Amino acid sequence: MSEKEFLDLAETTLNTIEEAMDRLNDEDVIDVECKRSGNVLEIEFIDNGSKIIVNSQAPMQELWVAAKSGGFHYKREGGAWINTRDGSELFAALSELASAQGGASVTLV
């Protein structure tokens, strides 16, 4: 994948995550605030002040996630973002992380 293709795909993915979190907030599923600065998306859980940060790493062609439970790297494989360590998928993992940090059942699609 070229750098431009990666950057376009990463941008689309970050937008999708942000839109999903905003929708869940609007539907009163979870109380979050998203802030975006370039390739960094910060998701803050209002009730406890914890954060999940998702950012793209163009040189590595990866998306990185930092959460209370740790840091995770995702590489594009077969049309999905896959964790380089345990093979989990990005949106499924973010759903679990957001559920744990936000105190409500969250499903990102």
Side-chain angles (χ1 to χ4, degrees):
M1 169 179 343
S2 73
E3 184 172 343
K4 181 182 179 342
E5 290 170 328
F6 169 79
L7 291 172
D8 289 345
L9 184 57
E11 177 74 14
T12 298
T13 303
L14 292 174
N15 287 339
T16 299
I17 295 166
E18 184 174 17
E19 289 166 6
M21 286 295 185
D22 286 343
R23 185 186 76 251
L24 291 167
N25 185 65
D26 292 346
E27 294 171 356
D28 290 327
V29 173
I30 194 163
D31 194 10
V32 295
E33 182 176 312
C34 293
K35 294 179 188 168
R36 184 80 181 273
S37 178
N39 68 333
V40 178
L41 173 62
E42 183 179 290
I43 304 160
E44 182 176 1
F45 298 87
I46 303 304
D47 292 341
N48 60 26
S50 70
K51 296 179 183 179
I52 294 175
I53 298 171
V54 184
N55 68 305
S56 63
Q57 295 292 320
M60 304 290 293
Q61 292 201 342
E62 293 179 348
L63 290 181
W64 290 4
V65 175
K68 273 178 90 171
S69 61
F72 311 92
H73 297 185
Y74 294 84
K75 205 162 197 55
R76 194 71 176 176
E77 292 179 17
W81 292 101
I82 303 299
N83 186 308
T84 59
R85 290 189 186 147
D86 68 10
S88 64
E89 191 274 331
L90 174 65
F91 288 96
L94 280 174
S95 295
E96 290 178 20
L97 294 169
S99 295
Q101 285 185 228
S105 182
V106 172
T107 302
L108 294 177
V109 214

